[in-house]
Amino acid sequence: MYTTELEKQRMASAQEDPEKLAEFDARVAADDFIEPKDWMPEAYRKTLIRQISQHAHSEIVGMLPEGNWITRAPSLRRKAVLLAKVQDEGGHGLYLYCAAETLGTSRDEMVEALHSGRAKYSTIFNYPTLTWADIGAIGWLVDGAAIMNQVPLQRTSYGPYARAMVRICKEESFHQRQGFEIMMTLANGTAEQKRMAQDALNRWWWPSLMMFGPPDDNSPNSAQSMRWRIKRETNDEIRQRFVDATVPQAEALGLTVPDADLKWNEAKGGYDFGAIDWEEFYAVVRGEGPVAKERMKARTKAWEDGAWVREAALAHAAKRAQRMAAE
Amino acid sequence: MSKALTGKALTSKEWPLWEVFVRAKNGLSHKHAGSVHAADARMALEAARDTYTRRMEGISLWVVPSASIVASDPGEAAALFEPASDKVYRHPTFYVIPDNVKNI
């Protein structure tokens, strides 16, 4: 999964040591990795904490729309696969929280920021999963978009983030392929199943294109993130690559991409596609997505219901440590 | 377990952090994979297994309280590691041996 950068960031690196700053810029420009104990500008640290934690939140919140279908998976095979996929998303969240913690934030701070609404997560998870075909569409399109976004991040300049991304990318391909397989089965099934697959594509196509974030001419933070090599390619570049890769896959399924303006452009060697409804995107960013409230309610409930377990485990560990010290 | 290992757990509500090392197979050393939060060592091992070995990535795990790791300071990297850079004579390629001399 993936989260776009959704908040404004402070650009100015106020009162940084110019010599250290120059050395840092040179290292990043030379594609050197920055490691946790290295000196880094405060704005770089803050940008990373925000981006990595939002990425982690997206993985964790991303478990909800799919978790919704575990008990209703159509076969034991599908159920085992979906369980494994949702568990992977949890794992991805944990890799990323750990990477963010190396920058000096704590897990509790990040969780609090999510639950209080200060931290964002990917807009895509504020759409509901209405039918089983949505599980196919999420794997194929949403994880497909995530792969496009995440592959360049394996070379992001912050070492722990890059290493987490390498691990995540290795696992993500299974997610996309299991989703495509679900779509393939439905598309080759009964007329009703094929309609279900088409309906899921219709609902998930545009939100998937929005996952890459605002267009380049309206993405004020991209330039700094590119310069710091936190980000390696622009939103529009990756979005174009996703469209070019995905349209032939839809054709192979015998499904129609819901875009009347979609057509191959020989000159640019890619597809031209219709205008994205950015009003919808910004509304979802503001928390007006169809199931945004449900998602946060589910997260907060899980956190609060688990509080006694966290406290009991600590009390148990403390008691054992005390006994051992007494012996 | 020593107090040093659990000290943080006693004062903070957050479970302490543990670094995870995974041995991919016998014959290889354990390699750092990431970290987990856990209340105690056993829970850390179980969390490490769920988080870092879902695809047969390992056959053995180490977990170490993150607070117990002593790391070198990047600011001292030059003092620590640069002295090795002008000692090329520690590498075999430094010595020129005639082509007709074999097995050396």
Side-chain angles (χ1 to χ4, degrees), chain A residues 14-265:
Chain A
Q15 261 113 65
E16 307 267 32
D17 180 341
E19 203 172 303
K20 281 182 173 165
L21 198 58
E23 195 189 326
F24 175 87
D25 286 344
R27 279 183 63 191
V28 168
D31 276 335
D32 195 1
F33 286 104
I34 306 300
E35 294 293 345
K37 286 168 66 100
D38 293 345
W39 184 89
M40 62 188 83
E42 266 318 295
Y44 176 84
R45 184 186 298 276
K46 280 195 185 129
T47 300
L48 275 172
I49 289 177
R50 196 187 52 250
Q51 182 172 330
I52 301 172
S53 65
Q54 291 184 3
H55 195 159
H57 297 328
S58 300
E59 304 282 356
I60 298 297
V61 178
M63 297 166 83
L64 295 170
E66 292 179 297
N68 192 32
W69 279 90
I70 290 174
T71 55
R72 286 174 283 166
S75 69
L76 187 58
R77 177 180 181 273
R78 295 286 186 212
K79 188 173 187 161
V81 168
L82 188 55
L83 268 171
K85 180 188 189 287
V86 173
Q87 191 191 18
D88 270 0
E89 306 299 358
H92 294 178
L94 296 180
Y95 307 156
L96 289 160
Y97 281 132
C98 289
E101 282 171 84
T102 64
L103 291 156
T105 184
S106 73
R107 184 76 59 94
D108 282 356
E109 279 176 285
M110 290 188 274
V111 168
E112 197 279 321
L114 174 67
H115 293 176
S116 71
R118 274 187 296 119
K120 305 286 183 193
Y121 55 90
S122 184
T123 50
I124 196 84
F125 303 117
N126 287 331
Y127 291 88
T129 40
L130 303 177
T131 72
W132 171 252
D134 288 20
I135 300 306
I138 288 180
W140 172 39
L141 298 173
V142 176
D143 289 278
I147 291 171
M148 291 285 173
N149 263 319
Q150 291 174 158
V151 164
L153 287 175
Q154 294 178 98
R155 293 177 295 118
T156 193
S157 60
Y158 187 58
Y161 191 24
R163 291 192 286 277
M165 292 320 308
V166 169
R167 190 174 276 277
I168 288 172
C169 284
K170 267 189 205 158
E171 300 179 348
E172 205 77 72
S173 179
F174 137 60
H175 297 178
Q176 192 188 15
R177 292 174 71 129
Q178 65 84 34
F180 190 81
E181 192 197 62
I182 291 172
M183 294 301 274
M184 220 162 37
T185 307
L186 291 171
N188 294 321
T190 63
E192 198 185 345
Q193 285 172 322
K194 186 165 182 181
R195 259 201 309 278
M196 212 162 98
Q198 181 64 54
D199 167 62
L201 171 57
N202 292 348
R203 284 181 290 108
W204 290 95
W205 176 255
W206 292 105
S208 297
L209 293 194
M210 293 176 198
M211 281 176 72
F212 299 96
D216 294 348
D217 53 17
N218 194 19
S219 182
N221 305 327
S222 283
Q224 177 63 288
S225 280
M226 296 279 282
R227 200 168 62 83
W228 275 334
R229 311 222 168 167
I230 290 173
K231 196 171 174 148
R232 308 286 319 220
E233 283 172 281
T234 72
N235 298 350
D236 286 335
E237 280 166 2
I238 309 178
R239 186 168 12 246
Q240 181 69 51
R241 187 172 319 134
F242 175 76
V243 171
D244 293 345
T246 312
V247 170
Q249 293 167 359
E251 284 166 2
L253 289 170
L255 299 178
T256 310
V257 172
D259 179 356
D261 298 324
L262 186 77
K263 62 169 190 297
W264 178 255
N265 181 332

